[in-house]
Amino acid sequence: MKLANFKSLLWGLPVIVILSMLMYGCPSQQQLGANADAAQKVYVAPGEYDEFYGFMSGGYSGQLSVYGIPSGRHLYTIPVFSQEATNAYGYSEESKPMLNTTHGFVPWGDSHHPELSQTDGVPDGRWIFINENNTPRVARINLSTFTTDEIIEIPNSAGNHASSFVTPNTEYVSAATRFSIPMDDENLNNEDVPISEYSEHFKGTLSFIKVGDDGKMGIDFQILVPGFDYDLSHAGKGPSDGWSFFTSYNSEQAHTLLEVNASKNDKDFIAAVNWRKAAEYAAAGEGRMVEGEHYRNYVDHDTHTAKSELIEEVRVLDPRELEGLIYFLPTPKSPHGVDVDPSGQYIVAGGKLSTVIPVHSFEKMIQAIENEEFEGEIDGIPVLNYDAILHGEVENPGLGPLHTEFDDRGNAYTTAFISSEIVKWDLETTQVLDRIQTYYSPGHLMIPGGDSQKPWGKYLVALNKITKDRYLPTGPELFHSAQLIDISGEKMKLLLDFPTEGEPHYAQAIPADLVRPNQTQFYKLEENNHPDAVKGEDETRVERDGNEVHIYMSTIRTHFAPDNIEGVKVGDKVYFHITNLEQDWDIPHGFAVKGMNNSELLIMPGETRTIVWEPKKVGVIPFYCTDFCSALHQEMQGYIRVSPEGSDVEIAYGTGQ
Ligand SMILES: [Cu+2]
């Protein structure tokens, strides 16, 4: 082709685009949007309830957001890993211990993957777990109160991405180090070594957190693995129950510019862990205990107060010493998501640089292990033969396949990040059946129950990373977006867009009927064993103890007792211990002091919360209720007098004089 012709072709391209736009118009509402009956399908009339609770991770907000599905209405945000001024989570004395770590108090976290507890492979509505990706932790949230009940830190780990995924009877929550780090041979302590010595010193760990019947979490064991990056996980089910699968990338063991250097190998690995066998090894005292300080923070329900315990050791299993723990399944190419279908037969990987979606067969995997069809071994872990374990490859799955969920009719749905679409395909034949555009760049997707043994396969939610041109703009930062898609028919249909908080990574949903009847409406005052509680106004008082002043205060519609307090001095440390005496649903009271270097308090009925104030200025300072509690809410206020340091004003208090 002559250069001139080539140039004219180049110039011609935009002309063709413009011409076709003139002919066909800009993308119509029809193309960008939903079908005509979509509004009816997502409309939840005033006073009616959504069919599902949807739980979406808040990503860098550190929290977990709750949405109604199909309406897309934001119902609530549960504080988990970040301080939340709305209700003093991480600010009040009772909740601060929840954010304790071996690095001290960490006020922020990066929440990623929520996962509902399961019984017999079906979400049961007891708890939802969520991981923290930055300072490795896993939280358990109680779905009767929608509050965080427990957070456990994970030692010998750096970053915690491949969690929190539960086994079919919530025996374990699995986790894995996202970043491998140098570990000494003796105690796996992080070492001061040159980063260039990555391949000699760096290792990873996979962690299994045992969950008791009461929800109590404890790290049962960790498995030492090669120094790759461990990305996502899912538990086996049905025939594959007893196994968990973890994706890894960077089998190249690169330590710089991973976008190039970790993209060289044609295949990385899924680590298939026989957790039942590992649990037997652990119970028999195999492996070894190593140093591994980590905090377990939990709410003592008797006192409504969080407590921290430091655990000093952890059991580590080494695949070089213990046979049959773990196998590597070669998987193209830089796999991200790994998802096990409801039958438990198929293990689907999303190779983000792969042109196909590999589907491994669990049955073939077991056969290959029995027949020792190994391609090699890495650090004591046999590498299985790819062809021996493959059920099939999905051709033309879209560009950048990441995550797959399933309906209850044998179909799989995979997000394609680069080509911005969801691709529906048949699990048995691996044939593509349908595809739908998303707007834009979906990461995870979620079908209620879609990673369990019982998908409620009616809706699919695409969790999109980019929202350009979908909503009224909000400056440089555009919120992330969910798209609700009807998957009840043969063709997928877009129903609704709704913006989400932070960056929702993964999500879960459960029929509302499995959660709503169990809601706690208020805390019983007679069961409140908080040491600083008052059970009635006659118990309210103010006491000085050196430079500490303890104010035992009550709230009830619509006054504080006491509401006039004197004798506090600059330099004092003032503890407001406030008990909400209400015994009725949805009557919280709030509490805020002018200039307090802390948050407000929000106190649920029957609860006691404490907040600390260090007054720095002389004067009479107002405080008030922040939660509109009755017609006379505005009158719910008081004063605290602050005298100079060394003044002889005595402690005095009262209400109603
Ligand atoms: Cu009030």
Side-chain angles (χ1 to χ4, degrees), residues 148-173:
T148 303
D149 257 7
E150 189 170 347
I151 294 179
I152 193 161
E153 195 179 6
I154 302 172
N156 304 322
S157 182
N160 172 33
H161 196 263
S163 74
S164 48
F165 298 103
V166 305
T167 55
N169 280 298
T170 319
E171 299 97 332
Y172 285 99
V173 175

Side-chain angles (χ1 to χ4, degrees), residues 289-604:
M289 299 303 289
V290 302
E291 285 175 15
E293 284 196 338
H294 60 286
Y295 272 101
R296 181 176 88 89
N297 310 321
Y298 62 97
V299 175
D300 175 342
H301 289 285
D302 226 24
T303 59
H304 302 166
T305 300
K307 295 182 174 165
S308 287
E309 65 177 22
L310 184 66
I311 301 162
E312 293 180 354
E313 289 185 316
V314 65
R315 180 174 301 281
V316 173
L317 307 178
D318 191 334
R320 285 169 298 196
E321 293 157 8
L322 300 168
E323 210 177 313
L325 271 189
I326 176 169
Y327 299 87
F328 277 140
L329 320 182
T331 302
K333 182 176 177 163
S334 296
H336 185 57
V338 55
D339 300 283
V340 183
D341 85 300
S343 79
Q345 282 291 346
Y346 302 120
I347 303 137
V348 179
K352 48 193 185 273
L353 301 175
S354 173
T355 55
V356 297
I357 299 171
V359 182
H360 298 307
S361 153
F362 177 74
E363 202 183 318
K364 289 184 174 180
M365 182 192 99
I366 293 295
Q367 273 170 14
I369 292 169
E370 280 169 9
N371 300 337
E372 300 192 350
E373 291 180 76
F374 302 146
E375 285 179 359
E377 188 187 292
I378 304 172
D379 292 358
I381 302 170
V383 180
L384 297 174
N385 180 286
Y386 179 70
D387 293 324
I389 59 174
L390 193 70
H391 163 67
E393 291 177 335
V394 182
E395 306 276 348
N396 194 16
L399 299 174
L402 292 186
H403 299 282
T404 301
E405 292 248 316
F406 310 91
D407 67 15
D408 47 353
R409 301 181 301 281
N411 299 308
Y413 302 78
T414 302
T415 50
F417 182 84
I418 297 167
S419 53
S420 286
E421 60 186 325
I422 288 167
V423 179
K424 175 183 174 181
W425 51 277
D426 185 292
L427 267 162
E428 283 301 327
T429 66
T430 69
Q431 293 300 302
V432 170
L433 303 172
D434 189 23
R435 49 216 315 152
I436 188 169
Q437 285 293 304
T438 57
Y439 307 95
Y440 307 90
S441 299
H444 280 271
L445 76 172
M446 178 272 286
I447 292 169
D451 72 336
S452 76
Q453 281 175 272
K454 188 187 171 186
W456 291 276
K458 186 173 177 182
Y459 300 113
L460 180 155
V461 178
L463 299 166
N464 302 327
K465 303 296 186 192
I466 296 171
T467 55
K468 264 185 256 182
D469 78 18
R470 293 305 281 182
Y471 305 107
L472 284 175
T474 51
E477 186 189 358
L478 301 174
F479 263 33
H480 295 259
S481 179
Q483 288 190 301
L484 185 76
I485 292 165
D486 180 350
I487 55 165
S488 60
E490 266 179 45
K491 292 277 168 197
M492 293 180 276
K493 288 179 191 161
L494 177 60
L495 298 178
L496 182 70
D497 281 16
F498 56 99
T500 53
E501 287 184 298
E503 187 196 346
H505 290 264
Y506 189 41
Q508 292 263 284
I510 186 168
D513 292 346
L514 292 179
V515 172
R516 188 167 69 83
N518 306 325
Q519 295 309 285
T520 298
Q521 301 186 342
F522 56 87
Y523 299 100
K524 287 186 185 147
L525 196 57
E526 72 262 25
E527 291 173 8
N528 177 346
N529 291 316
H530 191 298
D532 301 318
V534 293
K535 298 295 176 76
E537 284 189 20
D538 52 336
E539 293 179 18
T540 61
R541 63 200 185 275
V542 180
E543 293 170 357
R544 175 177 286 284
D545 176 13
N547 77 329
E548 285 187 3
V549 176
H550 291 268
I551 301 169
Y552 302 90
M553 188 184 270
S554 68
T555 64
I556 198 157
R557 279 161 289 179
T558 22
H559 63 274
F560 294 99
D563 65 4
N564 279 207
I565 298 161
E566 301 191 6
V568 167
K569 299 171 205 168
V570 169
D572 281 345
K573 203 167 180 184
V574 180
Y575 290 80
F576 294 95
H577 308 288
I578 306 179
T579 302
N580 180 347
L581 300 176
E582 306 277 357
Q583 293 288 273
D584 200 357
W585 202 3
D586 198 28
I587 310 290
H589 288 289
F591 176 80
V593 180
K594 183 194 172 208
M596 182 191 280
N597 299 107
N598 208 331
S599 76
E600 65 154 355
L601 279 180
L602 195 64
I603 313 136
M604 297 302 123

Side-chain angles (χ1 to χ4, degrees), residues 156-160 175-180 203-206 228-230:
N156 304 322
S157 182
N160 172 33
T177 195
R178 172 174 169 186
F179 311 101
S180 285
K203 288 217 165 291
T205 53
L206 312 181
F228 307 157
D229 293 67
Y230 295 86

Side-chain angles (χ1 to χ4, degrees), residues 558 588-590 625-630 633 636:
T558 22
H589 288 289
C625 173
T626 51
D627 196 34
F628 209 110
C629 50
S630 78
H633 158 75
M636 192 164 173

